[in-house]
Amino acid sequence: AAHRCSMADQQKPTPATPGQPIPPTPQNTPAAENPLNHLADAPLADLLKKRLSGLVGKPSGLKEDLTEEESRRLRALYKLHGQYSEFHTQYMAELLALQEKYQRMYEPLFAKRAQIVNGEHEPAEEECIPSETPAKPAEAGKPVPRGIPKFWLSALQNFDTCSEQIKEHDEPALEFLTNIVSTPVAGEPESFKLDFHFAPNPFFTNTVLSKTFHVMQQAGDTVSHVEGTEIDWKEGKDLTKKTIKKKKGKKVKTMTKPRDSFFSFFADPDTLMEQMEPTGEEEEDEMAFNQLQENFELHLYLGRFISQTLIPNALIWHTGEALREEGDEEDEEDDEDDDEDEEDEEAEEEDEDEEDEKPKGKGKPAKKAGKHHDDEEDDEDDDEEEDEKPKGKGKPAKDESFVPTSGAAKPAAAEIPANCKQQ
């Protein structure tokens, strides 16, 4: 009866807290709502579907064969978890409201910054902090540039991870970057959209390149969906591709191959998956998929850095002050490590000194000087025993040591005490 009761308990659906949505799980997610189904029939999408499709709709196995007591305890934990979910939902709603409140306060400041950077507003002295260093006079006959040239390019390049993504051929295009704006996605506290604004330039016709990260609240850093921008490159100006000419005999063949570029950041993941062609080798296809996944994770990391750190602090990243602040923190950590290393070295030296004070050698300690006479008598007795042993060829007795020479064997040496052997 107890078994039947426990089975009935585990078959009952977990009651939902009023007003609280049930988080998606493999058990309550129909196959039709599988998030992978939004992907086009890209070649490498099949590989991902094969990996994860088996998880949808399968029982977890955690509730099987529970006793009545175990079932009751588990249901009690579900109730506590429901109460936590209520509080957490309230917290996230209040946090989102707070973020939206301050975002509205930040926006006028960032808009004024953009005007100064792009030369649309010339600040008066009362709008500035007191000058710490005297400014150098303008050179006669040399025009003064408007705004602050290369403001965003230098800010991006001063962050190592961004700098690694910005290639030399990207820099001329990024000089036309006029502003970067981050906007939260409505109803998704962890999601955000980045807009890169560009002045008219010889590379592409877009005035804004966007990237939106939809981050699942329940899964932390898991990106449920990413939206990119298709860049309208002008003829021959695509920075994400390179043209190679190969000569075969009298014919010249022109080939286009992809190349590393910061502007790959804006690519739509679904489009990239569609463009990747399977090789027919499962291992190679899996490696290609893993590389694509690593790029997505890197883009999320870059996106979060730009949204949360670079945009609010663009000035000190442009001037390099942010690097000095990071360097100071690293120096403090290095000093702490050095102190720990010195303490370890002192402890090792103390241990070595203690070892030096201990008597060397293994085995029994040496006899006291008062027994020196007895030792001499023992040595004489040993010599007499050696003289009594027969000399000649042949194998020595088991207790004797045998040292072969060119001719007759030497007499076996006296048995050496264990402590002498060790020395």
Side-chain angles (χ1 to χ4, degrees):
H3 181 69
R4 287 196 299 272
C5 179
S6 65
M7 292 298 292
D9 287 339
Q10 58 180 304
Q11 291 173 0
K12 290 180 181 178
T14 304
T17 306
Q20 170 64 27
I22 300 176
T25 66
Q27 289 73 42
N28 64 20
T29 303
E33 296 180 13
N34 184 343
L36 296 175
N37 288 338
H38 82 278
L39 293 171
D41 293 330
L44 289 178
D46 293 336
L47 180 61
L48 181 60
K49 289 180 180 180
K50 287 178 183 178
R51 284 185 177 183
L52 301 181
S53 60
L55 298 177
V56 180
K58 278 192 174 182
S60 64
L62 295 176
K63 297 183 182 180
E64 295 176 2
D65 299 328
L66 294 179
T67 64
E68 184 176 358
E69 292 79 4
E70 291 171 333
S71 175
R72 184 172 61 252
R73 294 166 195 152
L74 195 63
R75 288 184 286 111
L77 294 181
Y78 269 113
K79 185 172 183 179
L80 293 173
H81 182 71
Q83 293 170 350
Y84 159 78
S85 297
E86 273 191 53
F87 292 142
H88 187 68
T89 301
Q90 294 173 12
Y91 161 74
M92 294 305 296
E94 293 176 14
L95 178 63
L96 182 60
L98 193 64
Q99 289 175 340
E100 291 174 349
K101 171 188 173 181
Y102 279 91
Q103 183 67 26
R104 290 191 294 271
M105 297 170 69
Y106 297 152
E107 285 173 357
L109 304 178
F110 295 156
K112 190 70 168 286
R113 179 181 67 187
Q115 291 177 350
I116 295 173
V117 166
N118 298 318
E120 299 168 3
H121 173 74
E122 195 63 44
E125 189 62 36
E126 57 268 18
E127 298 178 67
C128 309
I129 64 171
S131 176
E132 296 179 355
T133 56
K136 66 177 184 178
E139 296 182 17
K142 187 176 181 180
V144 179
R146 295 179 57 196
I148 303 177
K150 303 180 184 180
F151 178 85
W152 289 102
L153 172 59
S154 61
L156 289 168
Q157 287 182 320
N158 278 333
F159 179 59
D160 287 343
T161 308
C162 278
S163 179
E164 291 171 2
Q165 302 302 309
I166 297 174
K167 308 305 177 185
E168 188 175 354
H169 54 266
D170 294 325
E171 293 180 11
L174 288 172
E175 290 180 10
F176 292 90
L177 180 59
T178 60
N179 199 14
I180 307 177
V181 178
S182 177
T183 309
V185 177
E188 301 179 23
E190 299 294 328
S191 304
F192 59 96
K193 178 184 179 184
L194 293 174
D195 291 321
F196 289 67
H197 295 258
F198 286 86
N201 62 82
F203 298 94
F204 45 82
T205 61
N206 311 65
T207 57
V208 180
L209 300 180
S210 302
K211 183 93 169 186
T212 305
F213 296 91
H214 296 272
V215 183
M216 294 174 63
Q217 179 181 339
Q218 297 288 340
D221 285 347
T222 303
V223 179
S224 62
H225 187 54
V226 176
E227 299 167 9
T229 300
E230 183 178 354
I231 302 177
D232 183 19
W233 296 102
K234 295 182 179 180
E235 187 176 356
K237 297 293 185 178
D238 190 342
L239 299 174
T240 64
K241 296 177 182 177
K242 61 181 177 181
T243 303
I244 300 175
K245 292 184 178 181
K246 288 188 176 182
K247 189 175 182 181
K248 289 186 177 181
K250 295 182 179 181
K251 294 183 178 180
V252 178
K253 187 177 181 181
T254 303
M255 300 175 61
T256 301
K257 289 189 175 182
R259 68 173 171 178
D260 293 338
S261 170
F262 176 79
F263 288 92
S264 299
F265 176 80
F266 301 100
D268 187 271
D270 292 355
T271 303
L272 290 178
M273 294 190 75
E274 289 173 6
Q275 291 175 349
M276 295 186 74
E277 298 179 359
T279 62
E281 297 291 334
E282 185 174 350
E283 186 175 346
E284 291 184 12
D285 289 344
E286 187 170 356
M287 288 176 63
F289 172 80
N290 290 338
Q291 183 61 48
L292 190 62
Q293 182 67 24
E294 288 177 8
N295 290 339
F296 292 161
E297 292 172 0
L298 174 62
H299 289 173
L300 174 61
Y301 172 69
L302 285 178
R304 276 195 167 146
F305 166 78
I306 293 171
S307 174
Q308 300 174 2
T309 304
L310 183 73
I311 292 177
N313 304 290
L315 172 63
I316 60 175
W317 281 99
H318 166 73
T319 61
E321 294 171 85
L323 292 175
R324 289 194 289 273
E325 290 178 5
E326 286 194 341
D328 293 340
E329 291 177 2
E330 291 176 0
D331 289 342
E332 289 178 4
E333 293 176 0
D334 291 340
D335 290 341
E336 291 176 2
D337 293 339
D338 291 341
D339 292 340
E340 291 176 1
D341 292 340
E342 288 177 4
E343 291 175 2
D344 293 339
E345 289 176 3
E346 290 175 0
E348 289 177 3
E349 288 176 1
E350 289 176 2
D351 292 340
E352 289 175 1
D353 292 341
E354 291 176 3
E355 289 294 331
D356 292 340
E357 291 173 3
K358 294 179 182 179
K360 295 182 179 179
K362 298 180 181 178
K364 297 178 182 179
K367 295 182 180 180
K368 294 182 180 179
K371 297 200 176 180
H372 178 67
H373 180 69
D374 295 338
D375 293 340
E376 289 178 354
E377 291 180 355
D378 292 341
D379 292 340
E380 290 174 1
D381 293 340
D382 292 339
D383 292 339
E384 290 175 1
E385 289 177 4
E386 289 296 328
D387 293 338
E388 292 174 0
K389 289 180 181 178
K391 297 180 181 179
K393 297 180 182 179
K395 292 183 180 179
K398 290 182 180 178
D399 294 337
E400 298 172 345
S401 61
F402 177 68
V403 183
T405 60
S406 56
K410 289 186 178 180
E415 184 176 356
I416 302 173
N419 60 334
C420 296
K421 289 180 181 178
Q422 294 294 338
Q423 294 178 353

mmCIF file of all heavy atoms in Angstrom, residues 268-294:
data_model
loop_
_atom_site.group_PDB
_atom_site.id
_atom_site.type_symbol
_atom_site.label_atom_id
_atom_site.label_comp_id
_atom_site.label_asym_id
_atom_site.label_seq_id
_atom_site.Cartn_x
_atom_site.Cartn_y
_atom_site.Cartn_z
ATOM 1 N N ASP A 268 24.590 37.016 -37.731
ATOM 2 C CA ASP A 268 23.490 36.269 -37.128
ATOM 3 C C ASP A 268 23.896 34.802 -37.017
ATOM 4 O O ASP A 268 24.346 34.198 -37.994
ATOM 5 C CB ASP A 268 22.238 36.395 -38.006
ATOM 6 C CG ASP A 268 21.023 35.791 -37.345
ATOM 7 O OD1 ASP A 268 20.796 34.589 -37.541
ATOM 8 O OD2 ASP A 268 20.323 36.524 -36.629
ATOM 9 N N PRO A 269 23.775 34.181 -35.828
ATOM 10 C CA PRO A 269 24.225 32.793 -35.660
ATOM 11 C C PRO A 269 23.557 31.820 -36.620
ATOM 12 O O PRO A 269 24.201 30.906 -37.137
ATOM 13 C CB PRO A 269 23.861 32.473 -34.209
ATOM 14 C CG PRO A 269 23.793 33.806 -33.536
ATOM 15 C CD PRO A 269 23.307 34.760 -34.566
ATOM 16 N N ASP A 270 22.239 31.996 -36.859
ATOM 17 C CA ASP A 270 21.542 31.085 -37.770
ATOM 18 C C ASP A 270 22.136 31.167 -39.174
ATOM 19 O O ASP A 270 22.294 30.156 -39.865
ATOM 20 C CB ASP A 270 20.053 31.434 -37.822
ATOM 21 C CG ASP A 270 19.362 31.127 -36.503
ATOM 22 O OD1 ASP A 270 20.016 30.567 -35.608
ATOM 23 O OD2 ASP A 270 18.170 31.466 -36.369
ATOM 24 N N THR A 271 22.484 32.385 -39.578
ATOM 25 C CA THR A 271 23.077 32.560 -40.905
ATOM 26 C C THR A 271 24.434 31.864 -40.982
ATOM 27 O O THR A 271 24.759 31.213 -41.981
ATOM 28 C CB THR A 271 23.235 34.061 -41.217
ATOM 29 O OG1 THR A 271 21.961 34.696 -41.114
ATOM 30 C CG2 THR A 271 23.794 34.264 -42.613
ATOM 31 N N LEU A 272 25.225 31.988 -39.918
ATOM 32 C CA LEU A 272 26.536 31.333 -39.903
ATOM 33 C C LEU A 272 26.396 29.816 -39.987
ATOM 34 O O LEU A 272 27.164 29.147 -40.674
ATOM 35 C CB LEU A 272 27.297 31.709 -38.627
ATOM 36 C CG LEU A 272 27.777 33.162 -38.535
ATOM 37 C CD1 LEU A 272 28.469 33.389 -37.198
ATOM 38 C CD2 LEU A 272 28.729 33.488 -39.670
ATOM 39 N N MET A 273 25.414 29.278 -39.274
ATOM 40 C CA MET A 273 25.214 27.827 -39.304
ATOM 41 C C MET A 273 24.765 27.362 -40.682
ATOM 42 O O MET A 273 25.130 26.286 -41.147
ATOM 43 C CB MET A 273 24.206 27.403 -38.232
ATOM 44 C CG MET A 273 24.713 27.622 -36.810
ATOM 45 S SD MET A 273 23.660 26.863 -35.552
ATOM 46 C CE MET A 273 24.107 25.145 -35.750
ATOM 47 N N GLU A 274 23.961 28.176 -41.336
ATOM 48 C CA GLU A 274 23.516 27.817 -42.681
ATOM 49 C C GLU A 274 24.682 27.834 -43.670
ATOM 50 O O GLU A 274 24.742 27.024 -44.592
ATOM 51 C CB GLU A 274 22.432 28.794 -43.146
ATOM 52 C CG GLU A 274 21.105 28.630 -42.410
ATOM 53 C CD GLU A 274 20.117 29.723 -42.782
ATOM 54 O OE1 GLU A 274 20.446 30.529 -43.688
ATOM 55 O OE2 GLU A 274 19.040 29.770 -42.178
ATOM 56 N N GLN A 275 25.607 28.763 -43.457
ATOM 57 C CA GLN A 275 26.722 28.903 -44.392
ATOM 58 C C GLN A 275 27.781 27.822 -44.224
ATOM 59 O O GLN A 275 28.551 27.565 -45.143
ATOM 60 C CB GLN A 275 27.362 30.281 -44.216
ATOM 61 C CG GLN A 275 26.475 31.425 -44.671
ATOM 62 C CD GLN A 275 27.081 32.778 -44.362
ATOM 63 O OE1 GLN A 275 28.078 32.881 -43.630
ATOM 64 N NE2 GLN A 275 26.488 33.834 -44.906
ATOM 65 N N MET A 276 27.835 27.193 -43.048
ATOM 66 C CA MET A 276 28.855 26.168 -42.814
ATOM 67 C C MET A 276 28.460 24.876 -43.507
ATOM 68 O O MET A 276 27.363 24.350 -43.296
ATOM 69 C CB MET A 276 29.032 25.937 -41.316
ATOM 70 C CG MET A 276 29.587 27.154 -40.593
ATOM 71 S SD MET A 276 29.950 26.846 -38.860
ATOM 72 C CE MET A 276 31.425 25.850 -39.017
ATOM 73 N N GLU A 277 29.319 24.374 -44.330
ATOM 74 C CA GLU A 277 29.034 23.170 -45.102
ATOM 75 C C GLU A 277 29.632 21.948 -44.403
ATOM 76 O O GLU A 277 30.782 21.991 -43.934
ATOM 77 C CB GLU A 277 29.609 23.288 -46.513
ATOM 78 C CG GLU A 277 29.014 24.434 -47.303
ATOM 79 C CD GLU A 277 29.613 24.534 -48.693
ATOM 80 O OE1 GLU A 277 30.504 23.697 -49.003
ATOM 81 O OE2 GLU A 277 29.201 25.415 -49.454
ATOM 82 N N PRO A 278 28.857 20.856 -44.318
ATOM 83 C CA PRO A 278 29.393 19.653 -43.666
ATOM 84 C C PRO A 278 30.498 19.024 -44.502
ATOM 85 O O PRO A 278 30.469 19.055 -45.730
ATOM 86 C CB PRO A 278 28.176 18.733 -43.574
ATOM 87 C CG PRO A 278 27.263 19.187 -44.669
ATOM 88 C CD PRO A 278 27.482 20.677 -44.797
ATOM 89 N N THR A 279 31.464 18.437 -43.834
ATOM 90 C CA THR A 279 32.592 17.810 -44.532
ATOM 91 C C THR A 279 32.340 16.330 -44.801
ATOM 92 O O THR A 279 33.067 15.710 -45.563
ATOM 93 C CB THR A 279 33.868 17.946 -43.690
ATOM 94 O OG1 THR A 279 33.683 17.256 -42.448
ATOM 95 C CG2 THR A 279 34.178 19.407 -43.426
ATOM 96 N N GLY A 280 31.323 15.786 -44.140
ATOM 97 C CA GLY A 280 31.086 14.350 -44.261
ATOM 98 C C GLY A 280 31.770 13.561 -43.163
ATOM 99 O O GLY A 280 31.454 12.395 -42.941
ATOM 100 N N GLU A 281 32.703 14.198 -42.451
ATOM 101 C CA GLU A 281 33.393 13.561 -41.334
ATOM 102 C C GLU A 281 32.779 14.083 -40.036
ATOM 103 O O GLU A 281 32.808 15.284 -39.762
ATOM 104 C CB GLU A 281 34.893 13.883 -41.375
ATOM 105 C CG GLU A 281 35.616 13.354 -42.596
ATOM 106 C CD GLU A 281 35.710 11.834 -42.595
ATOM 107 O OE1 GLU A 281 35.673 11.242 -41.486
ATOM 108 O OE2 GLU A 281 35.818 11.242 -43.680
ATOM 109 N N GLU A 282 32.233 13.177 -39.239
ATOM 110 C CA GLU A 282 31.536 13.585 -38.023
ATOM 111 C C GLU A 282 32.462 14.337 -37.070
ATOM 112 O O GLU A 282 32.068 15.340 -36.456
ATOM 113 C CB GLU A 282 30.949 12.363 -37.317
ATOM 114 C CG GLU A 282 30.104 12.721 -36.107
ATOM 115 C CD GLU A 282 29.419 11.509 -35.496
ATOM 116 O OE1 GLU A 282 29.447 10.431 -36.130
ATOM 117 O OE2 GLU A 282 28.874 11.650 -34.398
ATOM 118 N N GLU A 283 33.705 13.883 -36.951
ATOM 119 C CA GLU A 283 34.641 14.520 -36.026
ATOM 120 C C GLU A 283 34.964 15.948 -36.453
ATOM 121 O O GLU A 283 34.991 16.869 -35.627
ATOM 122 C CB GLU A 283 35.936 13.698 -35.955
ATOM 123 C CG GLU A 283 36.917 14.201 -34.904
ATOM 124 C CD GLU A 283 38.130 13.297 -34.763
ATOM 125 O OE1 GLU A 283 38.099 12.158 -35.271
ATOM 126 O OE2 GLU A 283 39.108 13.743 -34.147
ATOM 127 N N GLU A 284 35.170 16.157 -37.757
ATOM 128 C CA GLU A 284 35.479 17.497 -38.255
ATOM 129 C C GLU A 284 34.268 18.411 -38.112
ATOM 130 O O GLU A 284 34.403 19.593 -37.764
ATOM 131 C CB GLU A 284 35.923 17.430 -39.712
ATOM 132 C CG GLU A 284 37.284 16.761 -39.905
ATOM 133 C CD GLU A 284 37.742 16.807 -41.339
ATOM 134 O OE1 GLU A 284 37.127 17.559 -42.137
ATOM 135 O OE2 GLU A 284 38.703 16.097 -41.684
ATOM 136 N N ASP A 285 33.079 17.883 -38.387
ATOM 137 C CA ASP A 285 31.867 18.693 -38.243
ATOM 138 C C ASP A 285 31.661 19.094 -36.790
ATOM 139 O O ASP A 285 31.240 20.215 -36.490
ATOM 140 C CB ASP A 285 30.649 17.912 -38.743
ATOM 141 C CG ASP A 285 30.655 17.771 -40.263
ATOM 142 O OD1 ASP A 285 31.414 18.517 -40.914
ATOM 143 O OD2 ASP A 285 29.923 16.915 -40.779
ATOM 144 N N GLU A 286 31.962 18.170 -35.876
ATOM 145 C CA GLU A 286 31.799 18.478 -34.452
ATOM 146 C C GLU A 286 32.801 19.548 -34.018
ATOM 147 O O GLU A 286 32.472 20.436 -33.240
ATOM 148 C CB GLU A 286 31.988 17.212 -33.613
ATOM 149 C CG GLU A 286 31.677 17.423 -32.144
ATOM 150 C CD GLU A 286 31.623 16.114 -31.373
ATOM 151 O OE1 GLU A 286 31.750 15.036 -31.999
ATOM 152 O OE2 GLU A 286 31.444 16.168 -30.150
ATOM 153 N N MET A 287 34.028 19.463 -34.533
ATOM 154 C CA MET A 287 35.032 20.485 -34.209
ATOM 155 C C MET A 287 34.586 21.853 -34.725
ATOM 156 O O MET A 287 34.750 22.874 -34.036
ATOM 157 C CB MET A 287 36.380 20.110 -34.816
ATOM 158 C CG MET A 287 37.072 18.943 -34.118
ATOM 159 S SD MET A 287 38.617 18.466 -34.942
ATOM 160 C CE MET A 287 39.575 19.965 -34.738
ATOM 161 N N ALA A 288 34.021 21.882 -35.927
ATOM 162 C CA ALA A 288 33.543 23.143 -36.488
ATOM 163 C C ALA A 288 32.408 23.710 -35.652
ATOM 164 O O ALA A 288 32.336 24.918 -35.399
ATOM 165 C CB ALA A 288 33.083 22.933 -37.938
ATOM 166 N N PHE A 289 31.519 22.828 -35.206
ATOM 167 C CA PHE A 289 30.407 23.271 -34.358
ATOM 168 C C PHE A 289 30.933 23.814 -33.033
ATOM 169 O O PHE A 289 30.476 24.848 -32.542
ATOM 170 C CB PHE A 289 29.444 22.111 -34.109
ATOM 171 C CG PHE A 289 28.386 22.439 -33.085
ATOM 172 C CD1 PHE A 289 27.279 23.177 -33.432
ATOM 173 C CD2 PHE A 289 28.522 22.020 -31.771
ATOM 174 C CE1 PHE A 289 26.318 23.495 -32.486
ATOM 175 C CE2 PHE A 289 27.571 22.319 -30.828
ATOM 176 C CZ PHE A 289 26.463 23.066 -31.191
ATOM 177 N N ASN A 290 31.902 23.117 -32.426
ATOM 178 C CA ASN A 290 32.463 23.570 -31.148
ATOM 179 C C ASN A 290 33.133 24.938 -31.298
ATOM 180 O O ASN A 290 33.033 25.780 -30.405
ATOM 181 C CB ASN A 290 33.467 22.552 -30.618
ATOM 182 C CG ASN A 290 32.803 21.270 -30.146
ATOM 183 O OD1 ASN A 290 31.603 21.268 -29.833
ATOM 184 N ND2 ASN A 290 33.552 20.187 -30.101
ATOM 185 N N GLN A 291 33.813 25.154 -32.421
ATOM 186 C CA GLN A 291 34.447 26.449 -32.665
ATOM 187 C C GLN A 291 33.399 27.548 -32.782
ATOM 188 O O GLN A 291 33.568 28.651 -32.257
ATOM 189 C CB GLN A 291 35.287 26.387 -33.949
ATOM 190 C CG GLN A 291 36.041 27.668 -34.265
ATOM 191 C CD GLN A 291 37.037 28.056 -33.187
ATOM 192 O OE1 GLN A 291 37.816 27.225 -32.732
ATOM 193 N NE2 GLN A 291 37.009 29.307 -32.765
ATOM 194 N N LEU A 292 32.295 27.223 -33.447
ATOM 195 C CA LEU A 292 31.211 28.183 -33.589
ATOM 196 C C LEU A 292 30.618 28.512 -32.217
ATOM 197 O O LEU A 292 30.335 29.668 -31.901
ATOM 198 C CB LEU A 292 30.142 27.619 -34.522
ATOM 199 C CG LEU A 292 29.044 28.579 -34.981
ATOM 200 C CD1 LEU A 292 29.627 29.725 -35.792
ATOM 201 C CD2 LEU A 292 28.002 27.829 -35.809
ATOM 202 N N GLN A 293 30.457 27.487 -31.383
ATOM 203 C CA GLN A 293 29.914 27.685 -30.044
ATOM 204 C C GLN A 293 30.855 28.557 -29.202
ATOM 205 O O GLN A 293 30.404 29.436 -28.458
ATOM 206 C CB GLN A 293 29.702 26.328 -29.366
ATOM 207 C CG GLN A 293 29.089 26.411 -27.970
ATOM 208 C CD GLN A 293 27.670 26.911 -27.994
ATOM 209 O OE1 GLN A 293 26.985 26.797 -29.013
ATOM 210 N NE2 GLN A 293 27.225 27.495 -26.898
ATOM 211 N N GLU A 294 32.155 28.334 -29.324
ATOM 212 C CA GLU A 294 33.130 29.155 -28.590
ATOM 213 C C GLU A 294 33.043 30.613 -29.026
ATOM 214 O O GLU A 294 33.162 31.532 -28.204
ATOM 215 C CB GLU A 294 34.545 28.615 -28.816
ATOM 216 C CG GLU A 294 34.828 27.311 -28.097
ATOM 217 C CD GLU A 294 36.227 26.779 -28.402
ATOM 218 O OE1 GLU A 294 37.014 27.511 -29.050
ATOM 219 O OE2 GLU A 294 36.525 25.640 -27.996
#
